[in-house]
Amino acid sequence: ISVGGGLDQFDKISKLFELGVDRVILNSAIHNNYELLKTIADKYGSQSATVSIDCKKINDKYVHMLHNGSKINNNTPEESCKLASKFGAGEIFFNNIDLDGSLMGFDIEIIKKLSSITNLPFIACGGGGNWEHFYQVLKNTNISGICTQNIYHFTDKSIEQLKNYLKK
């Protein structure tokens, strides 16, 4: 069980682990306070902390967004990946919010760049609209996984179809 959203205090996070949560997903709070990430990793292990990085392009530059895309982080997406690694994240969940829900394809350029910065498992999200999109992001990057949902909700595609396509 993974839980995220509004996790800005260690007491809240500890309570979740006491209730049986396996992992917390941290975004805005962690990027404002990396010591919180270190405390979680030290107490519960790195595998218990996923750091989420949302980004978008503004004036042809990728920026790291916080608070549901309403605020720009002072750190670049690259700096945020490095800090997540340094302070004990177990994996990185990356979402290109410009493409999220669009079914227009993954932004391979930024996914490749960010996933090469860290040795952490890297999950990409945002844009998968057909099986070729999934194949291309897996072929052209070194990510560990892909997160998607709209292709399953708004098309006639199934997980089994994707697995068969990738096997071929």
Side-chain angles (χ1 to χ4, degrees), residues 5 25 28 31 34 43 50 60 69 75 84 92 121 124 129 134 141 149 157 165:
I25 304 167
S28 296
H31 296 296
Y34 283 94
K43 172 124 184 167
T50 296
D60 292 323
N75 295 332
I92 297 196
F134 293 85
T141 69
Q149 69 175 10
K157 309 289 186 204
Y165 182 87

Side-chain angles (χ1 to χ4, degrees), residues 4 11 23 73-74 86 93 112 119 156:
D11 291 346
R23 175 176 306 174
N73 188 356
N74 292 330
K86 177 181 176 182
F93 180 90
K112 187 174 189 175
N119 290 328
D156 63 348

Side-chain angles (χ1 to χ4, degrees), residues 85-154:
S85 297
K86 177 181 176 182
F87 283 91
E91 67 185 353
I92 297 196
F93 180 90
F94 170 78
N95 184 28
N96 182 320
I97 59 178
D98 288 326
L99 294 172
D100 193 21
S102 73
L103 303 173
M104 299 296 291
F106 297 95
D107 186 338
I108 292 174
E109 174 190 351
I110 189 65
I111 292 169
K112 187 174 189 175
K113 185 175 189 177
L114 294 179
S115 65
S116 69
I117 288 173
T118 180
N119 290 328
L120 293 176
F122 193 95
I123 301 165
C125 182
N130 64 51
W131 301 150
E132 187 64 17
H133 293 155
F134 293 85
Y135 174 71
Q136 288 300 321
V137 75
L138 290 169
K139 177 183 173 194
N140 293 298
T141 69
N142 65 344
I143 62 172
S144 307
I146 301 170
C147 179
T148 190
Q149 69 175 10
N150 278 2
I151 192 170
Y152 303 121
H153 294 293
F154 300 113

Side-chain angles (χ1 to χ4, degrees), residues 42-61:
D42 288 347
K43 172 124 184 167
Y44 299 105
S46 289
Q47 81 291 341
S48 68
T50 296
V51 170
S52 179
I53 298 174
D54 292 336
C55 98
K56 67 185 292 177
K57 264 189 177 177
I58 299 177
N59 297 325
D60 292 323
K61 290 173 77 172

